[in-house]
Amino acid sequence: MNLSLFLARKIFLDKGDKRKVSRPAIHIATAGVAIGLAVMIISVCVVLGFKHTIRDKVIGFGSHIQVGNFLSLQSQGTEQYPVAMNDSMMNVLKHISGIKHVQRFAYKQGLLKTNNDFLGVNFKGVGPEWDSTFIANSMIEGTIPHFDDKASHNKILVSKTMADKLNLKSNQKIFAYFIDNNGVRARRFTICGIYETNLKKYDQIMCFCDLYTARKLNGWEDDQVSGAELQVENFEQLPIVANRIIGKVNKTVDHYGETYSSSTIKEINPQIFAWLGLMDLNVWVILGLMLAVAGITMISGLLIIILERTNMIGILKALGARNKTIRHTFLWMSVFIIGRGSLIGNIIGLGLIVLQQYTSLIKLDPQTYYVSTVPVEFNWLYIVLINIATMLICTFILIAPSYVISKINPAKSMHYE
């Protein structure tokens, strides 16, 4: 067995005199590594969970990429201009590499009115190909109706925010009014269901209806819509897929003379994604601080252990041991301390993450954070990398302090006892 490793194991496992300083120093160093690693794991899992939860909510309302009229996308949705989305264009979009799903949509602004109050909303017309998975997971009352592009069934979905403001319930009838160049038109809808995503930007204004209804209210032709929403197979490949769409679709003209254009969800909601991007900086700051805490406690612990083992170091030198061998002994001992601290840190960190995932113990204000509980997400690659980085960095920064061993004189150190 390697001499340095053998001696390190003996020192590490030796309980020794309870009055010695080294044993508490080892405990403190172990606690420093454990706490630092636990905080790093929790921080990464929480930030990843929060980022992906908010990202998925935004994508649930607007998909990954939108293809529509150039004028509509330039106006950021404040004005609606139609574009032809017939079978030919739908097939072109579906067969672009990296696209998983394509669905049409049409917007129409209107008013929901009860006997006592009214509310301005944005009706989003969707067809039978609409992927309702996101809204289905957010339903709190009622059901999702079958939305059609051939006929109007006068059924809508509203958010809980709207329902609370207007005192609405599922299966209730409500009038909607639409004001445009054709005057004022009224429609009577049945509220089939109520959803809640806690994303205020959309919950306050977005309700869903038939694609046929939105198209007719806008006075558009049968193949005209606001655009198409495209889901990509891999979000990380979003820029690549977006460039493919730009090459095949952008700047082409439909048979009405309208120009196609496209935008990614990041371009449509730059503020939200910029805010989510800032969280990465917070994670790096936390990782740096926790590594600094772990490193400082390890340096302090190593120096205390070396000073308390001065007599042993002197004896080893007198027996012919080289400074390198003795330094490696204490570095190996540091690895054992870091390893024990990492084990404890993983148990604490992963345990708390599992507890939060299955119990939602820690709650949040959804009006502020867009989620009702702290979201967490396991990413085993990041967790493994954090463990490896902690071990390597903490060991590396101990190399310089270990050179204090070369300053110990064998004669003086043995005479000290």
Side-chain angles (χ1 to χ4, degrees), residues 126-298:
V126 293
E129 73 274 12
W130 178 53
D131 183 359
S132 61
T133 304
F134 169 69
I135 293 298
N137 293 331
S138 304
M139 293 293 293
I140 60 173
E141 186 179 333
T143 59
I144 299 176
H146 172 75
F147 291 118
D148 204 344
D149 61 345
K150 303 296 184 184
S152 178
H153 301 287
N154 294 325
K155 295 179 179 180
I156 60 173
L157 289 178
V158 300
S159 70
K160 185 176 184 297
T161 302
M162 300 175 191
D164 290 343
K165 287 182 178 179
L166 299 177
N167 193 26
L168 303 175
K169 304 292 182 181
S170 61
N171 296 320
Q172 181 178 337
K173 305 288 185 180
I174 187 171
F175 279 99
Y177 295 87
F178 304 91
I179 305 172
D180 51 30
N181 295 332
N182 297 319
V184 180
R185 286 174 291 174
R187 293 286 188 278
R188 192 185 188 201
F189 292 103
T190 300
I191 299 172
C192 284
I194 299 174
Y195 72 88
E196 182 180 33
T197 68
N198 293 316
L199 203 60
K200 292 187 294 184
K201 177 180 178 179
Y202 296 99
D203 282 3
Q204 290 177 348
I205 64 169
M206 191 70 72
C207 67
F208 296 87
C209 66
D210 290 306
L211 179 62
Y212 179 88
T213 301
R215 182 193 292 146
K216 290 304 179 183
L217 287 170
N218 280 311
W220 295 343
E221 299 297 330
D222 290 343
D223 62 347
Q224 286 185 317
V225 292
S226 296
E229 296 175 338
L230 286 65
Q231 295 179 16
V232 300
E233 294 175 351
N234 184 354
F235 184 79
E236 302 302 324
Q237 299 294 318
L238 180 61
I240 297 174
V241 178
N243 287 333
R244 292 173 186 156
I245 294 171
I246 291 173
K248 284 194 174 185
V249 177
N250 284 28
K251 297 184 179 180
T252 59
V253 180
D254 67 9
H255 55 273
Y256 297 105
E258 304 293 344
T259 303
Y260 291 102
S261 185
S262 64
S263 291
T264 66
I265 193 67
K266 291 183 178 181
E267 294 168 341
I268 297 171
N269 296 279
Q271 299 89 351
I272 292 178
F273 282 92
W275 171 55
L276 294 177
L278 290 175
M279 294 184 181
D280 293 333
L281 177 61
N282 296 337
V283 171
W284 284 111
V285 171
I286 292 173
L287 293 179
L289 290 174
M290 291 302 100
L291 283 173
V293 170
I296 291 172
T297 56
M298 282 302 306

Side-chain angles (χ1 to χ4, degrees), residues 96-132:
I96 294 176
S97 179
I99 296 298
K100 181 174 65 174
H101 181 70
V102 181
Q103 59 192 31
R104 298 161 297 164
F105 69 95
Y107 287 125
K108 179 62 180 178
Q109 293 181 345
L111 292 172
L112 291 177
K113 187 179 185 306
T114 63
N115 294 332
N116 302 317
D117 207 350
F118 66 91
L119 181 66
V121 298
N122 199 12
F123 286 82
K124 182 176 183 178
V126 293
E129 73 274 12
W130 178 53
D131 183 359
S132 61

Side-chain angles (χ1 to χ4, degrees), residues 240-416:
I240 297 174
V241 178
N243 287 333
R244 292 173 186 156
I245 294 171
I246 291 173
K248 284 194 174 185
V249 177
N250 284 28
K251 297 184 179 180
T252 59
V253 180
D254 67 9
H255 55 273
Y256 297 105
E258 304 293 344
T259 303
Y260 291 102
S261 185
S262 64
S263 291
T264 66
I265 193 67
K266 291 183 178 181
E267 294 168 341
I268 297 171
N269 296 279
Q271 299 89 351
I272 292 178
F273 282 92
W275 171 55
L276 294 177
L278 290 175
M279 294 184 181
D280 293 333
L281 177 61
N282 296 337
V283 171
W284 284 111
V285 171
I286 292 173
L287 293 179
L289 290 174
M290 291 302 100
L291 283 173
V293 170
I296 291 172
T297 56
M298 282 302 306
I299 290 173
S300 302
L302 178 63
L303 291 176
I304 291 173
I305 294 168
I306 290 174
L307 291 175
E308 196 173 59
R309 299 282 177 169
T310 301
N311 185 50
M312 185 196 77
I313 295 171
I315 294 174
L316 289 173
K317 285 189 175 185
L319 293 173
R322 300 168 58 188
N323 286 330
K324 180 180 179 181
T325 301
I326 302 174
R327 282 195 300 107
H328 286 178
T329 298
F330 286 93
L331 288 176
W332 272 114
M333 183 176 178
S334 300
V335 169
F336 295 150
I337 296 173
I338 298 170
R340 176 182 286 178
S342 297
L343 177 61
I344 298 172
N346 277 284
I347 293 173
I348 295 174
L350 295 176
L352 291 175
I353 293 299
V354 170
L355 182 65
Q356 176 62 22
Q357 185 176 44
Y358 288 100
T359 66
S360 299
L361 186 63
I362 303 177
K363 306 293 183 181
L364 292 176
D365 179 10
Q367 298 301 316
T368 303
Y369 297 99
Y370 308 129
V371 288
S372 56
T373 63
V374 174
V376 294
E377 178 181 320
F378 283 99
N379 188 306
W380 294 110
L381 175 60
Y382 287 167
I383 293 172
V384 171
L385 289 176
I386 289 173
N387 276 271
I388 294 174
T390 301
M391 177 65 73
L392 294 179
I393 293 173
C394 288
T395 303
F396 178 78
I397 63 177
L398 294 176
I399 294 176
S402 69
Y403 275 93
V404 73
I405 291 170
S406 62
K407 304 296 183 181
I408 297 177
N409 187 293
K412 293 182 178 179
S413 61
M414 288 187 293
H415 181 69
Y416 177 79

